[in-house]
Amino acid sequence: MKVVIACGGTGGHLFPGIAVAEELLKQGHEPLLIISEKKVDAEASAKYENLRFEVMPAVAKPSTLSPKMIPFLLGLVKSIGQCKQLLKTEKAEVVLGMGGFTSFAPAYAGKKLGLRTYVHDSNAVPGKTNIMIAKYCTKVLLGLEAASSYFPGRDTAVVGTPVRGELENLPSREEAAAKWGLDPAKPTLLVFGGSQGARGLNTLVVEAAESLECQVLHVAGQLDFERVKGLVGGREGYHTLDFCDDMPSAYAVADGVICRSGASSMTELAYLALPSVLIPYPYAADDHQTANAKVFADAGAALMAQEKDLDGEKLAALARQLLPGAPEREALVTQTRILGEGSAVEEIVNVVVGETSAS
Ligand SMILES: CC(=O)N[C@H]1[C@@H](OP(=O)(O)OP(=O)(O)OC[C@H]2O[C@@H](n3ccc(=O)[nH]c3=O)[C@H](O)[C@@H]2O)O[C@H](CO)[C@@H](O)[C@@H]1O
């Protein structure tokens, strides 16, 4: 079956799309991934030589009264035309949008051509674009049950969020520690701020680490890397990097994680049963990262704190609970593992290739 997957713009849309494409390929189907012109898409897709990618311009929607609205609408019309052409040339049978604005034109074009069309939303509070796209879709696929109420009258299915295939086989802790110049025998925290990094979180972690007895692998993000490196100085057992293109090795050395509550990051934590402190990105649309983090915190699968309520000392007290030997750690691991059960990739592929009629 020929399936076009629109998934660019951010790691949180791209990696789940790649995971679905890899499974489709394994099952003998023919996926094609539409990604955006953004650097993050080019970098992340480069290592998947087995997959076919098509770059399409995607412009984020400006606010309704913005003067940018007219060029945006013209761009959108053009983009829909290009997508229709691509779907026809590709002889696509199904369109799957992994969410966000890069999904709009492909999903709309697919609907107009009479193809089965799906959109996936991984957050507890779905994006406005996805709510808009939903009316052109055969079915809306959700990462978290909490999002169902935002799609009244639509056919929805809670399928979870796909995890990248490369996390199936982590390197050994020893190999991973050697890669980062860390000691495999020492407790280790992994810190990252989503695919775009996080200045406030970075500062808090550097402060907290001063009183923690553990190593730190800190992915600071490209924009904040030099500043964080300066703050850390030559501290032993503290490895800072700008972007991590080897998350399996990063997770393999970690006993616990401090990160934002983006849906893909959280899905990976659950899949690997890693305990975490989740610090929602304060400016995320509709505060959806707080809603995401609450799902894990309410299940006892993670600790959660707002950036504004934290200082170095408070964060250190939370992070200590993630380290081996801490009495709280075992329950967090158990609950996280429960949330990681089931395979979203399989469920999505079953829906996408299994259904036969458009609604
Ligand atoms: C600020 C914001 O609005 N972020 C949203 C964005 O997430 P964003 O893409 O920022 O974050 P996610 O947590 O969903 O995904 C991050 C992905 O990037 C990977 N990674 C991260 C750092 C790194 O150095 N290398 C690397 O590979 C992680 O392993 C993960 O797979 O889309 C998600 C899906 O709609 C939302 O849930 C997030 O809330």
Side-chain angles (χ1 to χ4, degrees):
M1 184 169 276
K2 289 173 177 273
V3 182
V4 168
I5 303 173
C7 64
T10 159
H13 297 145
L14 187 65
F15 295 125
I18 288 175
V20 173
E22 285 191 309
E23 179 61 24
L24 284 166
L25 199 62
K26 215 192 293 171
Q27 294 189 14
H29 301 288
E30 297 174 61
L32 171 73
L33 294 123
I34 299 182
I35 55 173
S36 78
E37 292 157 316
K38 278 193 178 176
K39 197 170 156 216
V40 56
D41 288 7
E43 280 176 358
S45 57
K47 64 179 171 183
Y48 295 93
E49 283 171 9
N50 55 335
L51 296 174
R52 290 190 303 138
F53 291 90
E54 187 79 35
V55 177
M56 287 251 173
V59 194
K61 183 179 164 292
S63 62
T64 315
L65 297 176
S66 161
K68 291 185 185 146
M69 202 59 186
I70 291 171
F72 161 75
L73 288 172
L74 292 174
L76 184 61
V77 170
K78 190 172 161 205
S79 188
I80 291 169
Q82 285 173 327
C83 286
K84 272 190 186 164
Q85 197 49 51
L86 177 74
L87 295 175
K88 282 186 198 163
T89 316
E90 189 63 19
K91 296 195 172 58
E93 292 154 87
V94 182
V95 180
L96 169 65
M98 296 309 293
F101 218 82
T102 48
S103 294
F104 187 87
Y108 184 82
K111 170 75 179 173
K112 289 291 157 195
L113 293 175
L115 308 181
R116 283 191 292 119
T117 303
Y118 301 91
V119 68
H120 179 269
D121 194 300
S122 49
N123 295 301
V125 179
K128 290 200 173 62
T129 312
N130 288 353
I131 294 174
M132 214 156 70
I133 298 172
K135 58 175 173 265
Y136 306 113
C137 290
T138 314
K139 192 175 263 180
V140 180
L141 308 175
L142 301 174
L144 296 168
E145 174 70 47
S148 300
S149 60
Y150 292 87
F151 297 97
R154 307 256 169 250
D155 191 1
T156 58
V158 181
V159 294
T161 290
V163 178
R164 296 187 248 181
E166 61 179 342
L167 294 181
E168 276 169 29
N169 296 304
L170 295 193
S172 70
R173 187 176 172 104
E174 286 70 25
E175 277 174 272
K179 168 157 188 159
W180 309 118
L182 297 171
D183 180 348
K186 291 189 177 160
T188 305
L189 284 177
L190 166 66
V191 181
F192 64 94
S195 52
Q196 277 121 45
R199 194 181 162 94
L201 183 149
N202 284 340
T203 308
L204 282 166
V205 168
V206 177
E207 284 169 18
E210 278 176 27
S211 65
L212 286 169
E213 285 178 20
C214 68
Q215 303 180 118
V216 180
L217 175 58
H218 190 157
V219 187
Q222 269 143 2
L223 296 178
D224 207 22
F225 171 65
E226 291 299 338
R227 188 187 71 91
V228 173
K229 230 178 152 209
L231 288 178
V232 173
R235 235 185 271 179
E236 207 185 314
Y238 201 120
H239 186 82
T240 315
L241 61 159
D242 53 357
F243 177 75
C244 179
D245 63 0
D246 184 4
M247 288 304 283
S249 294
Y251 284 128
V253 76
D255 296 295
V257 178
I258 301 176
C259 64
R260 294 299 192 198
S261 38
S264 287
S265 304
M266 289 171 50
T267 307
E268 290 166 4
L269 297 175
Y271 180 74
L272 299 169
L274 276 167
S276 59
V277 176
L278 299 174
I279 307 176
Y281 177 59
Y283 312 106
D286 300 320
D287 201 16
H288 71 261
Q289 288 210 353
T290 296
N292 286 352
K294 271 193 183 146
V295 173
F296 272 40
D298 289 351
L303 305 171
M304 167 192 174
Q306 297 292 352
E307 195 168 296
K308 64 174 171 44
D309 300 330
L310 284 172
D311 56 25
E313 208 177 305
K314 286 180 185 152
L315 179 56
L318 293 173
R320 236 172 248 124
Q321 300 177 42
L322 310 178
L323 297 175
E328 303 86 354
R329 186 172 189 275
E330 204 175 315
L332 287 170
V333 171
T334 305
Q335 294 309 315
T336 311
R337 181 169 287 125
I338 291 171
L339 291 184
E341 282 167 2
S343 164
V345 170
E346 276 171 30
E347 292 211 29
I348 293 175
V349 168
N350 284 345
V351 172
V352 165
V353 302
E355 293 190 344
T356 49
S357 62
S359 63

